[in-house]
Amino acid sequence: MSTQSEAQLEKELIDQLVAADFNPVDIGNAEALKANLKTQLEKANGVTLTEREFESVLIKLEKGNIFDKSKRLKGKVDVTREDGTTDYLTLLFADASKNHFQVTNQITIQGTYENRYDVTILVNGLPLIQIELKRRGIELAEAFNQIKRYDKHTYGAQGGLFNYVQLFVISNGVNTKYFSNNRDLSFKQTFHWTDFENNKINALPQFADAFLNQPHLTKMLSRYIVQNESGKFLMVLRPYQFYAVEAIVNQVKTNNNHGYIWHTTGSGKTLTSFKTAQILSTLEDVDRVVFVVDRKDLDYQTAKEFDAFLRGSVDSTGDTKSLLNQFLGSRPVPKKVTSTAGSSTNDGEELPQVAEYAPIYSNKVNRINKLTITTIQKLNNLITKPRFKAQVEHLRQERVVFIFDECHRSQFGETHQNIVEFFEKAQLFGFTGTPIFADNATAKKVEGKGTQKRTTKDLFGERLHSYVIVDAIKDDNVLPFAIEYYGKLKHKNNGIDVDVSSIDVAEFFSSPNRIKQVCEHIIGIHAHKTKRKFNAMLCVASVPDLITYYDTFKALKEEGKHKLNIGTIFSYGVNEEEEFEGEVNVKGLAEANAKVHSRDKLDSYIEDYNQQFGTSYSTQDTDSFYNYYKDLSNRTKNGEVDILLVVNMFLTGFDAPGLNTIYVDKNLKYHGLVQAFSRTNRLNGTVKSHGNVMCYRNLKPQADEAFTLFSNKQPIEFIEVPDLNGLTEDFAKALEALKAIAPDVQSVDNLPDEDMQAGFIKQFRILMRLKNQLETFSDFDIEALGISEQEFVDYASKYSDLARELKKGPTDKESILADIDFELELLQRDEVNVGYIRHLLMTMLEESCDEAKEKKRQVIANLLATEPTLYSKRSLIEGFIEKSMQGLMQGAEFNEYIEEQKQKELSQIVEEEKLDTGKFSEMVTNIENGLNVGNLKSDDIAQLTTEKMSFRTRRTIIPRITERLKRFAETFVEGFH
């Protein structure tokens, strides 16, 4: 039976499109294309053009490059009629019913060489979608390379109408992908289309039904081609981005409910939210769209992209008054800046220093715009500070749509409550890569409502679309992780003769000797891990630890041990206690072993940075510190900083494709862990194959737990709140126990020893927790519980001071520094493989309830679908899970199950292929011992069969047996030994 030819594939696609109301048209060359364009433009716009008039239209259409033509496509082309009047022609309508779709094939264009294109979809006469086909068995990259060749040789020739192509589609019948008309794209930047649940739609007929239908194509062409203003190139949304935007737009059009989007870190949330804001701002019944970020996330690139879309919309100054002006309609107009901070414009106007990385505005007033990009801090000031709030009171009834970038960082506090209380018709949408679920929620203080645990769903309502980390890895949109765990405690003598709970763990981890060992280890492996091409981050547990790390790296550099550029930044407290010893030179102070505030240390580190890069930053004012933050960010992205040393800053929302390694010496869990690790897994060419995570603490349990949580698309999003009666009873008992220890406030001073004092602290902590929970109920009355608010506050004061004294005072904790050696040896390296799956299977089967087992089962299914090396084992492992869930097997029987399935497969091959059992068993043994099936010759396979083969049958039997052996090895051998 013959295989399908490229010509047959082409014919079947055209027949399918014609059946879907695409008009077939025969266009052989550039002249026929132009003639057809005239007819279609006239038809779409209801006009008739003379030849001279059409020629003037062609002249305008030929101007510009691909980017210019894409922008023109979404506007109108003016045509001066011969009678002197002017008409405007629409090239593409947003309403699919107004567009005229045609399909043709084999158009020939003469450029540097003559090229003939497979299938072209024309909209109103313009070629907007080009489809290149290859016969089955040919890889898609060949079709991609062919399009690149066409672009080089002929797309711009003979009038350049093919530079209006917005989308390319490539297919070999069984695999199909699409991509935007961007000549700088690589094959990695081509995308599969999927359904809403991220299941790929690969076969060409199904892809044509889902993607190449007229309503969908109109949406993609009119809405979802993005013009990147900074790079002057076209982008197209990936399917999960498309579904997210559509879900939010539909929500706004049909109801007033909030919602959130869960798209994993690194999957392109900024582009998705940008397109969402753009579309929402065009809706008539939306008064205003406000895109909200944290100040430190409003970087130059985001500001530039949004401002290019809607000039004057970006408010990136630090002044709340500028946001007020935007809301009131006074809009500053961007002014071109040709010099850095502190310089002047040509008219002598002094520019503020904060403007080094932000668009600069003059005092001219622009018209009111519907889209504003601002920071969470200024938005909160606007609606809470009396002098601003009074001026925007009339906006309470406006329908304002808020879009929150990384919503879990900015919204779990009073600001959320302030926004929904002020803007009475507000509709809120959040984007996050790591939502807050019941499992990873932490208690936070909410004004007037006590301390609460709240999930992302509590704040934003329903999740509108999900694209989790296993989806992104499977689609090659982010890289997988390779996680290594280092560190081993070795007893010097007979071990540590103290109770484990009394060991001073903090002292051990912060030990200068241990930190020096970690620094030396990092120096030793850094070139290998970064391939001398990428850079890294190092996150540590505290500011004191960071200071020890920085000073150690600096000392080792002075000793000639390395040449790495170490950059750092951290937050400092105005009234903090911590002081640090060291030789510093800050503001004229030059004294060895001086007591130095952490801010002084940071200034000395910034001075190192200034000397390295010729800058002049400091912490002397907010603007200078913020500009240092921005400059450090940019230099890290550009690879000028080898290792960025941080505590918390930069661990979320920082995208640097050139960063491939993170060194971790702090405890992380849940969303914090995934966010930190995800700094390393941005795509950046073929050399970067994965993100390196080097852990100097045992974070494996936390990592397993975090990736399990964020791979599960059915997490628990509700937190069960205790009822009022039960909490009231618990509070009464806790208060009785507290009074037994300290009957009144003053009696706290008379507690006889540290044990009694510790008992008071523990009991009052229980009372505080219960009070925080009770405050969430509207009818809560503390007076009815046997204690006044004043008495409770007085107890709280005693609690705070006493807890502080005990914390600072002597303890029973034993130092272990003199008793152990800390050795940096590799303890474990985790990748998603059979061993990792085996571990998850064991933990799944150990779960006591069916709900927890099902949750783990879903995670395993996601991982099996993600990792290519596990594809062949998918049905095997899923079969084991099915039997285990039915109680037919236990975790310990996994190896027996694999062996049973292996023998069953071997018997089936022997029987169906009529093989010699002895010879086949010998070959299988050799394969299990390392024989590569790919190295077997035809005669090696032929000697296995007991049947005589003719020349004709040999050509089919031997490849078939070889393929079955390969599948056997992939399923039962590779990864198990």
Side-chain angles (χ1 to χ4, degrees):
M1 183 177 177
S2 61
T3 58
Q4 184 185 47
S5 66
E6 186 177 315
Q8 288 174 308
L9 189 64
E10 186 176 303
K11 181 181 183 304
E12 289 177 7
L13 174 61
I14 292 172
D15 289 345
Q16 185 177 352
L17 293 176
V18 170
D21 293 330
F22 286 73
N23 293 318
V25 59
D26 184 12
I27 298 176
N29 52 42
E31 291 307 311
L33 182 64
K34 292 174 184 177
N36 179 71
L37 174 61
K38 180 177 183 295
T39 302
Q40 295 301 309
L41 281 178
E42 290 174 334
K43 188 176 178 181
N45 288 275
V47 298
T48 301
L49 302 173
T50 67
E51 290 300 328
R52 179 182 294 181
E53 290 166 351
F54 180 65
E55 194 62 36
S56 71
V57 172
L58 279 180
I59 290 171
K60 290 175 180 176
L61 290 179
E62 289 175 6
K63 291 181 180 178
N65 55 25
I66 294 169
F67 187 79
D68 299 325
K69 290 176 178 177
S70 179
K71 297 188 78 170
R72 184 179 299 125
L73 183 66
K74 295 181 180 179
K76 291 180 181 288
V77 175
D78 62 291
V79 53
T80 303
R81 309 305 294 264
E82 293 195 31
D83 63 3
T85 61
T86 302
D87 271 346
Y88 295 89
L89 303 179
T90 298
L91 302 180
L92 175 68
F93 294 92
D95 183 348
S97 66
K98 295 181 179 180
N99 292 316
H100 295 269
F101 287 84
Q102 296 171 297
V103 60
T104 188
N105 65 323
Q106 301 300 313
I107 297 180
T108 301
I109 300 294
Q110 180 66 50
T112 307
Y113 304 99
E114 182 180 274
N115 291 143
R116 184 179 296 162
Y117 312 141
D118 287 349
V119 177
T120 305
I121 292 177
L122 304 111
V123 184
N124 303 325
L126 282 172
L128 300 188
I129 298 97
Q130 181 61 38
I131 305 167
E132 285 302 320
L133 305 171
K134 292 297 174 187
R135 71 178 185 275
R136 296 174 190 268
I138 303 297
E139 61 177 324
L140 282 182
E142 194 167 314
F144 176 82
N145 293 335
Q146 185 170 329
I147 286 173
K148 302 288 278 188
R149 177 167 60 84
Y150 289 166
D151 175 57
K152 184 178 181 181
H153 293 154
T154 58
Y155 282 151
Q158 295 187 278
L161 289 180
F162 268 87
N163 276 339
Y164 278 92
V165 169
Q166 302 294 287
L167 290 171
F168 291 107
V169 175
I170 53 178
S171 180
N172 57 14
V174 295
N175 286 317
T176 308
K177 301 182 83 174
Y178 73 101
F179 54 99
S180 62
N181 188 359
N182 176 354
R183 58 183 42 152
D184 294 326
L185 289 181
S186 69
F187 183 66
K188 274 196 167 185
Q189 293 164 300
T190 60
F191 313 129
H192 294 279
W193 189 248
T194 73
D195 62 16
F196 188 84
E197 300 294 336
N198 205 49
N199 299 306
K200 289 180 182 177
I201 301 173
N202 258 327
L204 184 56
Q206 285 71 41
F207 177 88
D209 281 340
F211 192 91
L212 298 179
N213 63 77
Q214 295 181 20
H216 181 77
L217 279 181
T218 299
K219 276 187 179 179
M220 295 302 294
L221 294 169
S222 62
R223 283 187 174 184
Y224 296 115
I225 298 293
V226 178
Q227 283 114 13
N228 185 298
E229 290 286 348
S230 61
K232 304 298 180 186
F233 57 81
L234 304 185
M235 307 168 70
V236 61
L237 266 61
R238 303 174 187 191
Y240 60 89
Q241 295 173 314
F242 168 87
Y243 290 122
V245 178
E246 287 281 291
I248 292 178
V249 172
N250 181 66
Q251 189 94 317
V252 173
K253 284 183 174 180
T254 58
N255 58 65
N256 293 316
N257 297 334
H258 309 318
Y260 79 95
I261 302 295
W262 175 16
H263 282 184
T264 191
T265 304
S267 59
K269 291 190 296 298
T270 299
L271 177 59
T272 313
S273 55
F274 170 90
K275 180 50 66 176
T276 303
Q278 182 186 38
I279 294 174
L280 292 178
S281 66
T282 66
L283 301 182
E284 290 186 5
D285 59 347
V286 172
D287 295 312
R288 193 182 303 272
V289 178
V290 182
F291 186 87
V292 187
V293 298
D294 190 274
R295 172 169 181 172
K296 67 188 180 65
D297 296 329
L298 188 59
D299 63 13
Y300 176 68
Q301 188 67 24
T302 303
K304 188 174 181 181
E305 287 301 322
F306 272 91
D307 198 57
F309 157 61
L310 193 56
R311 198 166 178 80
S313 65
V314 179
D315 167 36
S316 49
T317 66
D319 184 5
T320 303
K321 188 175 180 181
S322 65
L323 178 61
L324 173 67
N325 290 336
Q326 289 203 20
F327 270 75
L328 296 180
S330 300
R331 187 65 47 96
V333 178
K335 177 171 288 189
K336 185 176 181 181
V337 176
T338 56
S339 56
T340 56
S343 64
S344 299
T345 59
N346 292 333
D347 59 7
E349 179 186 358
E350 188 69 16
L351 301 177
Q353 284 191 335
V354 73
E356 182 170 356
Y357 291 99
I360 307 302
Y361 301 102
S362 73
N363 293 322
K364 295 179 181 178
V365 176
N366 191 8
R367 64 179 179 82
I368 188 169
N369 289 318
K370 289 177 66 172
L371 174 62
T372 297
I373 296 89
T374 190
T375 65
I376 189 75
Q377 294 84 356
K378 283 197 297 181
L379 179 61
N380 194 48
N381 286 342
L382 182 72
I383 58 178
T384 58
K385 303 294 183 185
R387 67 182 184 277
F388 298 125
K389 184 178 180 181
Q391 299 182 65
V392 292
E393 283 288 336
H394 65 287
L395 303 180
R396 282 183 177 273
Q397 294 301 313
E398 278 197 348
R399 190 180 185 198
V400 184
V401 178
F402 290 93
I403 298 173
F404 291 90
D405 186 40
E406 291 298 348
C407 60
H408 67 279
R409 291 213 305 276
S410 61
Q411 279 289 285
F412 280 78
E414 294 180 28
T415 304
H416 179 93
Q417 186 175 340
N418 294 338
I419 291 171
V420 296
E421 287 180 355
F422 184 87
F423 293 99
E424 297 174 13
K425 293 184 179 179
Q427 198 164 6
L428 278 59
F429 296 97
F431 283 81
T432 178
T434 48
I436 304 301
F437 301 125
D439 288 342
N440 62 316
T442 55
K444 291 185 180 291
K445 185 77 173 178
V446 180
E447 185 67 24
K449 295 185 177 181
T451 301
Q452 296 180 342
K453 283 188 175 184
R454 308 178 79 185
T455 66
T456 305
K457 184 171 184 176
D458 289 333
L459 291 175
F460 288 94
E462 293 298 320
R463 178 164 21 113
L464 301 179
H465 192 254
S466 301
Y467 185 75
V468 304
I469 190 168
V470 290
D471 293 326
I473 294 174
K474 179 175 66 177
D475 295 342
D476 293 326
N477 286 330
V478 298
L479 299 171
F481 300 109
I483 309 171
E484 295 182 2
Y485 300 94
Y486 283 89
K488 182 179 180 180
L489 300 181
K490 183 178 180 182
H491 298 181
K492 285 183 177 178
N493 300 312
N494 297 323
I496 304 170
D497 190 23
V498 291
D499 186 85
V500 173
S501 64
S502 67
I503 294 174
D504 193 342
V505 176
E507 180 196 30
F508 162 70
F509 280 115
S510 299
S511 161
N513 288 334
R514 175 186 172 276
I515 288 176
K516 183 179 180 182
Q517 282 185 267
V518 174
C519 289
E520 290 173 338
H521 187 261
I522 289 172
I523 292 167
I525 66 172
H526 184 78
H528 171 68
K529 291 298 177 184
T530 60
K531 302 180 185 290
R532 302 182 186 276
K533 180 181 178 69
F534 303 107
N535 57 354
M537 293 179 74
L538 166 57
C539 63
V540 300
S542 64
V543 171
D545 283 359
L546 181 146
I547 288 170
T548 306
Y549 264 105
Y550 187 95
D551 291 346
T552 303
F553 271 120
K554 186 174 181 178
L556 291 171
K557 190 171 187 176
E558 291 170 352
E559 293 173 16
K561 299 292 181 65
H562 71 90
K563 297 180 179 180
L564 299 171
N565 287 333
I566 310 295
T568 190
I569 191 169
F570 55 84
S571 300
Y572 51 85
V574 177
N575 299 313
E576 65 185 13
E577 280 192 11
E578 290 89 344
E579 293 182 331
F580 309 96
E581 292 187 359
E583 187 172 329
V584 296
N585 191 333
V586 181
K587 304 174 193 172
L589 172 68
E591 181 181 348
N593 298 320
K595 290 288 186 180
V596 183
H597 190 280
S598 69
R599 179 172 178 176
D600 295 327
K601 295 293 286 187
L602 179 57
D603 261 323
S604 74
Y605 300 157
I606 294 176
E607 184 55 36
D608 291 344
Y609 183 91
N610 290 335
Q611 292 179 16
Q612 174 71 30
F613 296 110
T615 53
S616 57
Y617 303 113
S618 72
T619 69
Q620 297 308 302
D621 60 80
T622 302
D623 291 343
S624 183
F625 181 73
Y626 180 59
N627 285 337
Y628 171 64
Y629 173 95
K630 302 306 299 179
D631 196 65
L632 178 62
S633 171
N634 288 334
R635 292 188 190 277
T636 302
K637 290 180 181 181
N638 294 336
E640 298 173 75
V641 174
D642 295 307
I643 299 177
L644 177 60
L645 174 56
V646 298
V647 178
N648 292 314
M649 299 175 79
F650 286 97
L651 293 184
T652 60
F654 177 61
D655 292 340
L659 192 149
N660 81 326
T661 300
I662 185 167
Y663 306 107
V664 181
D665 190 16
K666 70 179 298 185
N667 293 326
L668 296 168
K669 62 181 182 179
Y670 292 128
H671 46 281
L673 182 145
V674 173
Q675 287 279 357
F677 286 13
S678 295
R679 298 313 100 208
T680 68
N681 72 339
R682 301 300 190 271
L683 300 175
N684 188 15
T686 56
V687 178
K688 188 178 179 182
S689 58
H690 58 268
N692 293 314
V693 181
M694 319 299 294
C695 296
Y696 295 98
R697 301 190 182 202
N698 182 19
L699 298 181
K700 179 170 173 53
Q702 293 93 318
D704 289 347
E705 196 170 17
F707 286 114
T708 296
L709 176 64
F710 292 113
S711 297
N712 179 23
K713 292 186 181 181
Q714 289 82 39
I716 300 171
E717 299 196 66
F718 289 104
I719 296 173
E720 186 174 344
V721 180
D723 64 87
L724 177 60
N725 292 334
L727 286 173
T728 302
E729 291 177 6
D730 290 343
F731 186 91
K733 292 176 182 176
L735 180 61
E736 184 181 354
L738 180 76
K739 294 277 188 170
I741 299 172
D744 55 52
V745 174
Q746 295 307 317
S747 63
V748 175
D749 296 337
N750 300 322
L751 293 173
D753 53 41
E754 288 186 357
D755 287 341
M756 290 293 289
Q757 292 172 341
F760 165 76
I761 290 170
K762 180 180 178 181
Q763 193 59 41
F764 189 76
R765 189 176 291 129
I766 294 171
L767 202 67
M768 281 195 300
R769 176 176 54 81
L770 290 168
K771 180 176 181 285
N772 287 331
Q773 290 178 291
L774 282 164
E775 284 176 340
T776 63
F777 295 92
S778 58
D779 52 351
F780 166 69
D781 179 11
I782 193 171
E783 303 283 346
L785 298 175
I787 185 172
S788 69
E789 187 68 46
Q790 184 62 56
E791 187 180 7
F792 186 90
V793 171
D794 291 344
Y795 268 118
S797 297
K798 292 292 185 182
Y799 161 82
S800 298
D801 290 339
L802 186 57
R804 187 180 187 84
E805 288 177 19
L806 288 182
K807 184 177 179 181
K808 293 176 63 176
T811 69
D812 295 331
K813 288 188 175 181
E814 296 287 341
S815 173
I816 59 172
L817 298 184
D819 300 306
I820 63 167
D821 285 329
F822 175 67
E823 296 184 354
L824 281 168
E825 67 179 59
L826 179 62
L827 301 180
Q828 185 160 345
R829 178 183 173 91
D830 269 352
E831 293 183 49
V832 179
N833 52 24
V834 175
Y836 194 77
I837 294 293
R838 192 196 304 260
H839 165 74
L840 289 180
L841 283 172
M842 293 296 294
T843 60
M844 181 192 83
L845 296 172
E846 289 168 1
E847 296 287 355
S848 57
C849 68
D850 291 341
E851 183 180 348
K853 288 181 180 179
E854 176 57 28
K855 182 177 174 182
K856 289 279 183 71
R857 188 201 65 77
Q858 183 62 44
V859 172
I860 294 170
N862 287 335
L863 292 173
L864 289 172
T866 301
E867 180 56 41
T869 61
L870 296 173
Y871 288 168
S872 60
K873 300 171 177 61
R874 184 172 180 174
S875 60
L876 183 69
I877 294 173
E878 286 176 345
F880 174 76
I881 292 174
E882 186 65 27
K883 289 191 174 184
S884 298
M885 296 286 272
Q886 295 172 5
L888 303 178
M889 288 195 166
Q890 299 299 319
E893 298 175 357
F894 182 72
N895 291 337
E896 289 86 343
Y897 170 79
I898 297 299
E899 185 63 28
E900 175 188 322
Q901 297 301 310
K902 181 173 75 172
Q903 294 304 323
K904 186 183 295 185
E905 176 69 13
L906 291 175
S907 298
Q908 193 171 342
I909 294 174
V910 168
E911 181 179 348
E912 293 175 356
E913 301 295 346
K914 298 180 173 58
L915 304 182
D916 182 290
T917 304
K919 292 178 180 179
F920 182 64
S921 297
E922 184 180 349
M923 178 169 287
V924 168
T925 300
N926 291 334
I927 291 172
E928 291 176 335
N929 289 331
L931 175 66
N932 189 337
V933 178
N935 293 334
L936 291 173
K937 298 178 181 178
S938 297
D939 289 345
D940 296 329
I941 303 297
Q943 56 94 19
L944 296 177
T945 183
T946 58
E947 285 193 317
K948 291 184 179 180
M949 293 181 289
S950 66
F951 179 75
R952 180 183 294 273
T953 58
R954 181 186 176 97
R955 291 175 61 185
T956 58
I957 293 174
I958 289 180
R960 187 176 68 234
I961 296 174
T962 303
E963 185 60 31
R964 294 191 73 168
L965 279 173
K966 285 181 180 178
R967 287 202 305 269
F968 169 81
E970 289 172 356
T971 304
F972 294 100
V973 179
E974 295 170 10
F976 283 108
H977 298 278

